[in-house]
């Protein structure tokens, strides 16, 4: 008797699940454009829309000493070394921005340069960043400054970094020092870059420092990043009400590999919630992974969107751990492995829209050493973005990743994301054909 009830209940549950999944499938479609028939020249951007490129300190400056250089050595990864020697060549690099016609530039400040040992501040290094900012402003380029882009001093890492909430005051003190110094010239601040990537790569997959593999720690770091942002916001916003503070969120979309599969759909939804939804609800409600973080609630003046791709998930998704990405038949695989899916940029914007703050595209780009894909990639994404803006989404800027080839974290120098090709022997920069295309598009506006 009970067995029958159990079987019936199970059957009912399965039917219910499948119905729900089918319903959601209709509710969350995965659009694909017929690109051959799209007029990619049909672009409309409002006056004052910001055109930019993005970089991060560790990836371009060269000669760092931080948590990442320690990780590179410990894991036998390619060393970041001199990178683009940008610390010495930034003036020339800013000329490249002017030559491209950029009106905005996103870059990051390296905490380990400013506070190489705990409590010892290097005023000269801070003065260099101030000089950079002055130079950009003088060129009519808006500086967008990231305070934490994956790197920090190793002494702070040794104390547990973002895994320990007791460390957040030191991070906030660093932010306060920088913001107080530059507040008169820098109005747009990104506190933290890609919190989900930072936590997952560093604490679940172990590919980023500190190279750990622990899901509970990953969740703790995610919450602490939210807490850190909220703490910085609450300390600095009252002091500088005219400044805009935000987070650069990597919105990777998760879609079911097999659209008919009752396993792939819930799996995709689960990943989507873990990667995107939990963060958004943390910002909206001050609650993440079943714990309260009231400090974070309502602390975004804008949201930065880093958009690259969608990931197709199914039971075989363990292959993702080896960074093997499946793609749809009609999609092109990029050099990083993941597919080019420009349609997803619209979905990522729609995902962030309920936060009710302006959106800045803080990153979008493609690894493409031979520059065979970048032009198409750029044009498709700008077309999608243009439609989103036309339809009323409040997107204020587009920053292409990246101004030039640079140190691509665990991938070293193998992945080339630059509008400029960099010869790392001679440090020569050469504008790629796709860079010419971007320049022409921006120039027309
Ligand atoms: C993003 C990072 C950025 C760069 C691009 C390719 O996840 O924020 O530093 O490496 O990917």
């Amino acid at each position: 008797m009970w067995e029958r009830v159990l079987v019936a209940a199970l059957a009912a549950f399965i039917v219910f699940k499948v119905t729900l999944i089918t319903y959601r499938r209709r509710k969350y479609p995965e659009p694909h454009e017929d690109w051959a028939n799209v007029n990619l020249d049909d672009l409309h951007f409002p006056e004052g829309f910001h055109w930019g490129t993005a970089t991060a300190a560790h990836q371009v400056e060269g000669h760092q000493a931080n948590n990442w250089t320690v990780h590179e050595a410990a894991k036998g990864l390619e060393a970041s070394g001199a990178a683009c020697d940008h610390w010495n060549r930034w003036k020339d690099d800013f000329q490249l921005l002017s030559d491209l016609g950029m009106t905005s530039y996103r870059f990051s400040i390296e905490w380990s340069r400013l506070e190489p040992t705990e409590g010892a501040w290097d005023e000269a290094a801070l003065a260099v960043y101030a000089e950079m900012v002055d130079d950009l402003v003088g060129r009519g380029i808006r500086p967008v400054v990231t305070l934490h882009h994956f790197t920090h001093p190793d002494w702070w890492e040794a104390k547990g970094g973002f895994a320990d909430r007791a460390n957040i005051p030191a991070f906030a003190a660093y932010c306060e020092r920088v913001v107080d110094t530059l507040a008169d010239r820098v109005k747009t601040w990104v506190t933290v870059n890609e919190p989900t990537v930072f936590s997952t790569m560093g604490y679940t997959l172990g590919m980023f420092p500190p190279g750990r593999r622990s899901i509970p720690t990953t969740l703790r770091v995610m919450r602490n990043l939210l807490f850190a942002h909220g703490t910085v916001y609450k300390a600095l916003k009252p002091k500088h009400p005219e400044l805009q503070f935000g987070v650069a969120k990597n919105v990777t979309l998760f879609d079911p590999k097999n659209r008919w599969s009752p396993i792939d759909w819930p799996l995709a939804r689960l990943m989507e919630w873990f990667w995107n939804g939990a963060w958004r609800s943390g910002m909206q409600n001050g609650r993440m992974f079943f714990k309260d973080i009231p400090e974070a609630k309502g602390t975004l003046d804008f949201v930065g969107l880093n958009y690259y791709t969608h990931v197709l998930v199914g039971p075989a998704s363990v292959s993702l751990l080896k960074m093997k990405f499946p793609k749809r038949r009609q999609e092109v695989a990029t050099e990083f492995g993941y597919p080019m899916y420009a349609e997803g940029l619209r979905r990522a914007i729609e995902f962030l829209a309920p936060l009710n703050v302006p959106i800045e595209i803080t990153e979008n780009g493609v690894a493409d050493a031979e520059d065979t894909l970048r032009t198409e990639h750029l044009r498709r994404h700008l077309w999608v973005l243009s439609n989103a803006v036309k339809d009323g989404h409040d997107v204020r800027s587009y920053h292409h990743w990246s101004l030039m080839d640079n140190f691509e974290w665990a991938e070293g120098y193998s992945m080339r994301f630059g509008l400029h090709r960099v010869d790392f022997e001679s440090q020569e920069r050469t504008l790629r054909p796709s860079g010419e295309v971007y320049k022409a598009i921006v120039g027309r506006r």
Side-chain angles (χ1 to χ4, degrees):
M1 161 74 180
W2 282 112
E3 270 171 29
R4 275 197 204 156
V5 172
L6 212 64
V7 170
L10 200 66
F13 178 73
I14 291 170
V15 169
F16 170 71
K17 264 298 197 211
V18 172
T19 316
L20 194 75
I21 286 158
T22 318
Y23 166 71
R24 286 201 170 152
R25 184 183 151 181
R26 273 198 283 117
K27 209 171 154 215
Y28 301 102
E30 182 195 316
H32 282 272
E33 293 292 338
D34 175 11
W35 289 108
N37 291 313
V38 167
N39 175 12
L40 294 176
D41 289 324
D42 186 25
L43 300 178
H44 308 270
F45 287 94
E47 188 104 356
F49 187 87
H50 278 296
W51 297 99
T53 68
T55 62
H58 187 73
Q59 297 179 272
V60 296
E61 284 182 358
H63 306 298
Q64 309 284 0
N66 56 27
N67 61 326
W68 253 93
T69 49
V70 170
H71 180 77
E72 290 158 23
K75 297 276 166 168
L77 297 175
E78 188 171 4
S80 49
C84 305
D85 194 29
H86 177 73
W87 189 249
N88 297 310
R89 297 169 192 262
W90 60 264
K91 260 200 179 139
D92 295 340
D93 290 337
F94 289 179
Q95 184 56 44
L96 302 178
L97 293 170
S98 294
D99 293 346
L100 280 174
M102 300 291 97
T103 59
S104 186
Y105 176 57
R106 175 179 177 229
F107 68 103
S108 78
I109 288 191
E110 181 63 41
W111 178 10
S112 62
R113 277 193 195 276
L114 302 188
E115 197 179 2
T117 50
E118 191 173 2
W121 288 88
D122 186 342
E123 292 299 336
L126 187 52
V128 173
Y129 285 118
E131 243 188 280
M132 288 185 190
V133 163
D134 287 340
D135 192 87
L136 289 169
V137 173
R139 293 171 182 278
I141 298 173
R142 173 187 71 152
V144 175
V145 175
T146 307
L147 290 158
H148 188 275
H149 196 122
F150 296 165
T151 52
H152 46 247
D154 195 49
W155 59 260
W156 194 69
E157 182 67 61
K159 294 175 159 202
F162 282 111
D164 190 345
R165 219 173 247 210
N167 293 329
I168 304 304
F171 172 67
Y174 144 73
C175 293
E176 186 159 5
R177 214 172 170 114
V178 175
V179 172
D180 283 350
T181 308
L182 301 175
D184 55 339
R185 290 154 281 173
V186 178
K187 304 296 169 199
T188 314
W189 294 88
V190 174
T191 54
V192 174
N193 180 65
E194 298 191 341
T196 318
V197 172
F198 176 85
S199 349
T200 312
M201 293 298 278
Y203 294 85
T204 304
L205 300 179
M207 291 165 75
F208 282 14
R212 303 260 318 263
R213 280 173 179 270
S214 152
I215 290 186
T217 316
T218 305
L219 301 186
R220 191 164 74 241
V221 171
M222 283 185 175
R223 289 193 209 100
N224 287 350
L225 284 163
L226 218 62
F227 174 79
H229 165 80
T231 305
V232 171
Y233 187 94
K234 294 218 155 120
L236 297 183
K237 187 72 180 175
K239 245 175 134 178
H240 305 286
E242 76 288 3
L243 305 187
Q244 305 296 304
F245 294 94
V247 170
K249 172 74 181 106
N250 172 300
V251 178
T252 295
L253 305 166
F254 291 86
D255 286 317
K257 182 160 187 299
N258 295 305
R259 291 177 225 208
W260 45 262
S261 162
I263 297 170
D264 297 8
W265 270 96
L267 215 54
R269 293 276 80 84
L270 185 71
M271 282 305 296
E272 183 90 20
W273 172 75
F274 170 79
W275 194 269
N276 300 321
W279 178 83
R280 186 178 67 183
S281 104
M283 295 307 317
Q284 286 176 313
N285 314 318
R287 199 170 160 76
M288 190 188 217
F289 298 122
F290 316 109
K291 288 207 174 147
D292 288 329
I293 313 159
E295 297 79 3
K297 190 174 172 178
T299 57
L300 285 178
D301 295 323
F302 72 92
V303 59
L305 167 57
N306 293 2
Y307 175 72
Y308 287 92
T309 194
H310 70 157
V311 171
L312 305 179
V313 292
S317 287
V318 270
S319 66
L320 290 176
L321 297 176
K322 296 189 199 118
M323 303 293 259
K324 280 193 147 184
F325 301 93
K327 65 169 194 70
R328 299 275 183 233
R329 209 169 356 101
Q330 69 270 46
E331 292 175 346
V332 185
T334 66
E335 251 161 58
F336 219 109
Y338 53 70
M340 171 158 84
Y341 178 56
E343 296 89 330
L345 177 58
R346 175 61 178 258
R347 292 168 62 194
I349 290 169
E350 284 169 3
F351 167 77
L352 293 176
L355 288 167
N356 274 321
V357 289
I359 297 172
E360 305 258 359
I361 308 294
T362 33
E363 282 181 33
N364 171 244
V366 62
D368 180 23
E370 299 306 321
D371 206 39
T372 49
L373 204 58
R374 192 172 289 101
T375 295
E376 184 70 8
H377 185 278
L378 186 67
R379 295 181 74 214
R380 285 187 189 182
H381 283 81
L382 292 184
W383 182 82
V384 170
L385 178 59
S386 162
N387 282 341
V389 172
K390 199 168 66 189
D391 293 344
H393 285 289
D394 186 5
V395 185
R396 306 270 173 101
S397 67
Y398 175 83
H399 296 84
H400 191 81
W401 185 275
S402 177
L403 171 64
M404 56 192 162
D405 294 338
N406 56 47
F407 178 73
E408 181 46 39
W409 309 113
E411 312 298 319
Y413 289 99
S414 64
M415 293 295 148
R416 290 175 171 259
F417 278 88
L419 292 169
H420 291 87
R421 178 180 181 275
V422 175
D423 177 333
F424 290 102
E425 291 290 313
S426 65
Q427 287 296 350
E428 197 186 334
R429 282 85 156 123
T430 315
L431 188 62
R432 292 196 162 104
S434 56
E436 298 280 5
V437 169
Y438 188 40
K439 178 178 169 172
I441 292 172
V442 174
R444 253 177 257 136
R445 327 220 105 71

